[in-house]
Amino acid sequence: MTPPGRPAKKYANPSFRLTALLLGVLGLLLLASAPGQPDPEQAFGRGGIGLAALLHAVRPARLAVIPTPEGIVVRNLLSTRTVPRDRIRGFSLVRILDIELLDGTTVTCSAIQRGASHPANGCTARALADLNARLAEHTPATAPRTAA
């Protein structure tokens, strides 16, 4: 999967990085301007909106899907989960990337979403193809059955 000493590939939608940056800058500007307001209500409003913008900047910065030798690390907004490689059947993408498990359940990965980036970019399709290829590399081939 990933050679020792080399960081794991992290799949995240590139448009999310720009969103996080813009929300973070907006939040900092609003928070910095709040104390200088002559009206306490306006200062409180700017501070509240600035804090909300900073909190929302964390979401896109956190989301990621990271393949490791042990499995797939899924970082969603409120949770991080490692799905062992031997439990994964495959990956599918309808609206959001789903990891299909052998027991029939799925794990949703918010980091990779259809239509969340510019269509010409193709990052969503490339991530899905790469994840399926990486899974195929580590899935043992079954011996062909011979008729008796």
Side-chain angles (χ1 to χ4, degrees):
M1 174 68 62
T2 303
R6 196 174 112 199
K9 182 163 180 66
K10 177 176 137 177
Y11 298 97
N13 197 311
S15 64
F16 289 166
R17 285 177 268 184
L18 179 61
T19 302
L21 177 66
L22 292 175
L23 283 172
V25 169
L26 175 67
L28 289 174
L29 288 173
L30 286 169
L31 283 174
S33 70
Q37 298 303 312
D39 181 12
E41 288 180 12
Q42 192 175 31
F44 183 75
R46 282 188 183 211
I49 293 170
L51 185 60
L54 281 176
L55 291 174
H56 280 81
V58 171
R59 178 183 186 268
R62 176 174 164 63
L63 300 176
V65 175
I66 307 164
T68 66
E70 297 80 32
I72 304 291
V73 177
V74 177
R75 280 196 336 223
N76 285 327
L77 179 59
L78 298 175
S79 65
T80 299
R81 177 177 178 183
T82 301
V83 182
R85 185 168 311 284
D86 60 355
R87 292 189 53 214
I88 299 173
R89 175 179 303 160
F91 302 90
S92 66
L93 181 71
V94 175
R95 193 178 71 76
I96 295 177
L97 178 73
D98 285 323
I99 300 175
E100 300 168 349
L101 304 180
L102 293 173
D103 64 5
T105 61
T106 60
V107 176
T108 300
C109 310
S110 299
I112 301 175
Q113 301 180 18
R114 184 179 300 282
S117 66
H118 190 272
N121 184 325
C123 69
T124 303
R126 280 195 308 273
L128 181 62
D130 193 31
L131 287 168
N132 276 315
R134 287 173 178 253
L135 180 63
E137 289 174 6
H138 291 86
T139 303
T142 56
R145 291 188 172 176
T146 55

